């Protein structure tokens, strides 16, 4: 397959489970587009009777594009009551990073992008604090300082949404952004806002989970990345990790250990989202990592 006309794409499907689904999907791809299957993975949720599949493929078929694929695949999708999407690998996603006063996750994401780990366009950084400006300038990413207070929260969100629209943002990443987003904001980017919460959810929701965990005398701390929904810290979990703590850990060392976890779980979530490895359903996710 010559590189010039070769296109790669990812097909993501969920539908009621039944026999013959894998064969029907693969046969369609081979017969319609003479594909080379690069990666295929599937999962069944026995309790809900659901089937999930992710197929990464390459094709040299003339006229292969998103619209022609949608038209051709729709009859099969209808036959099996599929929810599905096709993601072409040609255009990098536009990503906006939101941050408040703690910069460790932002710094990690910027470094991973700079070293080529993230294949995306880091279009802008938005913050309600000035502290991230030097880091944004070092990485040559446009920085917008929009201070938020109770009295101007709605107006600031309008400005934020206008910036996201102007930059044609595909994904918003809350890298320790400490403002609760309104339902209006969240509805504008369904399953396209990723947050890192600094606890092992559902434990210790809210603004100060490390303080609550320390007061509780936990022996494990955690971090969770999740899609953002209107319900605070309730969105579909994407990744979690934990670390041991003991009576020798006062609050500062507990927070420091937690920061390493936050960086890990957030970067995994961003990478998996950019690679179209996450399927979300019933407030859960299937991760094809
Ligand atoms: N709609 C949602 N917005 C946000 C979510 C979410 O799940 N749904 N996650 C938070 C992040 N977060 C914990 O991870 C969090 C951030 C902020 C607060 C909070 O109480 N903020 C106060 C202001 C605090 C301050 O000014 O320092 C507030 O917004 O009134 C709780 C949890 C990001 N947004």
């Amino acid at each position: 397959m010559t590189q010039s006309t070769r296109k790669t794409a990812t097909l993501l499907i969920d539908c009621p489970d039944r026999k013959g689904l894998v064969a029907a999907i693969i046969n369609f791809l081979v017969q319609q587009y003479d594909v080379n299957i690069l990666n295929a993975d599937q999962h069944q949720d026995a309790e809900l009777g659901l089937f999930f599949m992710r197929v990464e493929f390459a094709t040299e078929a003339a006229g292969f594009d998103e619209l022609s694929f949608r038209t051709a695949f729709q009859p099969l999708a209808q036959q099996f009551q599929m929810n599905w999407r096709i993601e072409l690998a040609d255009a990098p996603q536009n990503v906006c990073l939101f941050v408040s006063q703690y910069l460790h996750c932002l710094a990690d994401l910027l470094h991973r992008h700079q070293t080529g780990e993230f294949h995306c366009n880091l279009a802008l950084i938005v913050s309600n604090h000035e502290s991230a400006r030097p880091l944004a300038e070092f990485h040559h990413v446009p920085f917008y300082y929009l201070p938020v207070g109770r009295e101007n929260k709605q107006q600031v969100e309008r400005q934020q949404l206008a910036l996201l629209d102007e930059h044609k943002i595909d994904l918003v990443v809350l890298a320790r952004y400490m403002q609760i987003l309104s339902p209006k904001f969240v509805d504008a980017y369904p399953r396209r806002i990723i947050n890192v919460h600094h606890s092992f959810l559902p434990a210790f929701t809210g603004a100060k989970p490390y303080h609550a965990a320390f007061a509780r005398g936990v022996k494990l701390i955690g971090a969770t990345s999740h899609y953002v929904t209107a319900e605070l810290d309730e969105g579909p979990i994407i990744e979690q990790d934990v670390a041991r703590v003991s009576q020798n850990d006062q609050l500062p060392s507990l927070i420091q250990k937690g920061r390493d976890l936050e960086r890990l779980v957030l970067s995994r979530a961003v990478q998996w989202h950019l690679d179209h490895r996450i399927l979300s359903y019933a407030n859960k996710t299937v991760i094809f990592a």
Side-chain angles (χ1 to χ4, degrees):
M1 202 173 276
T2 58
Q3 285 301 325
S4 58
T5 58
R6 184 177 187 267
K7 290 183 180 176
T8 58
T10 304
L11 175 61
L12 295 138
I13 296 167
D14 70 82
C15 63
D17 192 16
R18 58 181 288 178
K19 282 197 301 185
L21 285 168
V22 175
I25 293 161
I26 299 299
N27 287 338
F28 169 85
L29 292 172
V30 170
Q31 288 162 13
Q32 289 280 336
Y33 293 106
D34 188 25
V35 304
N36 174 20
I37 302 290
L38 304 175
N39 187 297
D41 200 349
Q42 74 261 5
H43 167 71
Q44 280 91 352
D45 181 318
E47 185 189 3
L48 297 177
L50 293 175
F51 168 87
F52 304 87
M53 190 169 192
R54 177 183 185 273
V55 187
E56 214 171 341
F57 61 87
T59 179
E60 201 178 11
F64 172 81
D65 61 24
E66 187 174 338
L67 184 60
S68 69
F69 186 92
R70 287 186 176 287
T71 307
F73 190 70
Q74 189 50 35
L76 187 70
Q78 201 156 339
Q79 178 187 348
F80 292 111
Q81 300 168 271
M82 293 177 181
N83 300 305
W84 63 284
R85 68 183 201 259
I86 183 80
E87 302 283 1
L88 272 65
D90 48 8
Q93 295 182 59
N94 295 326
V95 177
C96 176
L97 306 178
F98 276 55
V99 67
S100 290
Q101 64 267 51
Y102 301 115
L103 307 182
H104 54 288
C105 288
L106 175 73
D108 181 68
L109 295 174
L110 287 168
H111 181 71
R112 291 177 193 269
H113 178 258
Q114 183 187 32
T115 55
E117 190 174 327
F118 288 159
H119 298 292
C120 66
N121 169 36
L122 278 189
L124 71 161
I125 295 170
V126 173
S127 182
N128 57 328
H129 291 259
E130 276 281 9
S131 52
R133 188 183 292 277
L135 199 54
E137 289 173 351
F138 175 78
H139 286 275
H140 308 294
V141 179
F143 178 79
Y144 294 84
Y145 169 52
L146 299 174
V148 182
R150 293 198 187 289
E151 69 294 339
N152 73 341
K153 201 154 189 170
Q154 283 191 344
Q155 181 211 332
V156 169
E157 276 204 358
R158 281 195 294 271
Q159 290 174 281
Q160 291 169 338
L161 288 169
L163 282 169
L164 299 181
D165 191 45
E166 177 190 339
H167 289 268
K168 296 181 175 51
I169 295 302
D170 301 295
L171 173 66
V172 176
V173 180
L174 306 185
R176 288 299 304 277
Y177 182 66
M178 297 310 287
Q179 294 297 316
I180 297 173
L181 301 178
S182 70
K184 179 173 183 284
F185 191 118
V186 173
D187 289 348
Y189 291 85
R191 298 294 187 274
R192 293 194 292 147
I193 306 173
I194 293 175
N195 177 58
V196 58
H197 180 74
H198 36 311
S199 82
F200 190 78
L201 288 177
F204 307 121
T205 55
K208 295 186 176 300
Y210 288 134
H211 292 72
F214 180 68
R216 186 66 183 80
V218 299
K219 304 304 179 187
L220 285 174
I221 56 165
T224 303
S225 52
H226 63 92
Y227 284 119
V228 167
T229 59
E231 297 72 33
L232 185 62
D233 303 328
E234 295 283 335
I237 290 172
I238 300 169
E239 174 63 332
Q240 297 185 294
D241 212 334
V242 294
R244 300 202 70 81
V245 294
S246 75
Q247 67 282 357
N248 301 322
D249 287 294
Q250 296 307 301
L251 186 57
S253 70
L254 194 143
I255 291 174
Q256 187 52 53
K257 287 182 177 179
R259 285 182 174 170
D260 289 334
L261 298 173
E262 293 167 47
R263 283 184 278 248
L264 263 178
V265 302
L266 182 58
S267 61
R268 288 173 188 159
V270 172
Q271 184 71 281
W272 292 341
H273 182 96
L274 293 175
D275 287 350
H276 312 299
R277 294 184 179 279
I278 307 174
L279 258 170
S280 65
Y281 75 105
N283 209 44
K284 289 184 180 177
T285 62
V286 176
I287 307 292
F288 291 115

